[in-house]
Amino acid sequence: GEVVGITNAKYSGSSGSGATIDNIGFAIPLNDVMPIIKSIIEKGYISRPYVGISVADVSQEAQSYGLPAGAAIRLVNEDSPALKGGLQVGDIVTHVNGDPISGSSELVSLIGQSQPEQALTMTVFRKGQTIELTVTVGEQIQSATEKSQR
């Protein structure tokens, strides 16, 4: 595959035996980097899809008590596309556009592959009921020249 390589070297002095240098290499899939590069070239800033939720996996234990597998909503940001679409803390997203969601990483990945203004139909388990909600993906903007504060 094609990747972007990132090299990092760490220097550590050890007592008595001299200095050591550890070389550590990382690689990021090119497909993860290309949307960022394309956004900077076309728009002058980094644009990412944004829904405004924090999610967690539904545990095996919770599933043994009858909750479905999926992504459990732990936080809904104020004035976010998720809030406007009707998502609530405690909801479990089980499907997006008809495709099953097995956990939080799958939902995060699907949102990350979406485009701003794209409508996502989410099947949600809420207090024993299954409902469908439509969430329109927003856009999160970051300057291409400022350092990210993560």
Side-chain angles (χ1 to χ4, degrees), residues 61-101:
E61 182 179 2
Q63 290 178 48
S64 73
Y65 289 109
L67 292 177
I73 307 293
R74 297 290 177 226
L75 174 74
V76 178
N77 292 338
E78 288 186 35
D79 201 31
S80 67
L83 185 64
K84 292 174 186 171
L87 286 173
Q88 298 177 5
V89 171
D91 287 350
I92 299 172
V93 179
T94 60
H95 294 77
V96 174
N97 295 335
D99 296 326
I101 299 296

Side-chain angles (χ1 to χ4, degrees), residues 4-86:
V4 174
I6 301 169
T7 303
N8 185 16
K10 179 183 82 172
Y11 167 80
S12 62
S14 58
S15 60
S17 64
T20 62
I21 298 176
D22 296 324
N23 290 313
I24 304 168
F26 298 95
I28 301 170
L30 191 58
N31 289 342
D32 290 353
V33 177
M34 284 307 294
I36 296 171
I37 294 169
K38 185 177 177 183
S39 176
I40 292 171
I41 291 169
E42 291 176 358
K43 301 176 182 178
Y45 57 85
I46 300 167
S47 171
R48 294 191 174 119
Y50 169 73
V51 172
I53 55 174
S54 292
V55 292
D57 292 333
V58 177
S59 70
Q60 290 292 335
E61 182 179 2
Q63 290 178 48
S64 73
Y65 289 109
L67 292 177
I73 307 293
R74 297 290 177 226
L75 174 74
V76 178
N77 292 338
E78 288 186 35
D79 201 31
S80 67
L83 185 64
K84 292 174 186 171

